[in-house]
Every structure is written in C-alpha cells, then in structure tokens.
Amino acid sequence: GVDLTAPVCRLTTAAIGRGKHSGHVELRWEVVDQQLAPEPITLSFSLSAKGPWQVIATGLRDDGQYFWKIDNSVPPSVFVRLEVVDAAGHRQESVLQQAVDTRQVAPRGRILGVAPVE
C-alpha cells in the first residue's frame, strides 16, 4: 500500500521533574500512525510559538516521554514543539499552547562568602 496520510501527534505535557528527574522538564506526547520512521521524534524549543526553533533532541524513539535537562542557556520561558515523521516522509507537528517556565528547574546557586586568593 501507499501511505498518503501524515501522522497524528499531540504534545500533551511539560511538567517539572521530581526526585531523580529534578532539574528536568518531563515532556509527554501521543502519536498515531501505522508506519512511523524508526526514530521519528524531534523536540525543539523557542521564545515564540511560531519559532525559530532550537533542537532539544532528535532521532528519538516514540516512547511517549523525554526528560529535558535544563541548564542556564535555556531562556526563562519557552514554547516546546514536537515533530513526527513517518516512514513515507510525512511530517506533523504539535506545539504546546502554554509557555514552559524553566526558572523552576534551572540550576541555581548562592554565593555564601568570598575569600582572597593568596
């Protein structure tokens, strides 16, 4: 048969990781397609819901979740996009409508004191 339809996908959640996933944002998604590519998932972020997009991870299996390690280079508020490709090359994307507040998970520090170097 010939595949004429694009995958159906939905980025469902971006939640603050807890426990061993502290410092991460847990991204969850749903994908429906009969013939997905072997590693069909790309996750990206942007300051705007319309892009431009920076890749978080690409070539992921369709496991339905990914733990994104947040560092200080990630802006304090970002939109997240899921992109899916099937075996025929059809692409579909889903963008979270709410920006993710990464300030809750970005590493923080506090200077407790300063000493002269001898």
Side-chain angles (χ1 to χ4, degrees):
V2 177
D3 184 358
L4 300 174
T5 59
V8 175
C9 66
R10 185 169 72 99
L11 193 54
T12 60
T13 308
I16 306 305
R18 304 279 182 232
K20 73 176 185 174
H21 295 293
S22 179
H24 293 76
V25 172
E26 180 184 6
L27 302 172
R28 290 186 173 266
W29 63 85
E30 299 169 347
V31 174
V32 177
D33 191 85
Q34 296 294 323
Q35 294 280 327
L36 285 177
E39 296 172 327
I41 305 296
T42 298
L43 298 167
S44 308
F45 75 91
S46 176
L47 292 173
S48 164
K50 296 180 181 179
W53 299 98
Q54 292 182 268
V55 173
I56 297 168
T58 189
L60 299 174
R61 294 181 311 188
D62 181 26
D63 292 339
Q65 75 176 9
Y66 179 79
F67 290 94
W68 176 24
K69 177 78 170 149
I70 300 295
D71 61 32
N72 288 329
S73 69
V74 177
S77 180
V78 296
F79 289 87
V80 180
R81 177 181 73 170
L82 164 72
E83 186 177 3
V84 181
V85 62
D86 68 12
H90 300 111
R91 295 184 180 278
Q92 190 61 267
E93 67 180 45
S94 172
V95 177
L96 277 179
Q97 297 305 305
Q98 290 283 103
V100 177
D101 182 1
T102 62
R103 292 175 296 186
Q104 298 177 38
V105 292
R108 296 181 207 177
R110 185 171 51 176
I111 297 173
L112 299 175
V114 177
V117 176
E118 295 179 22

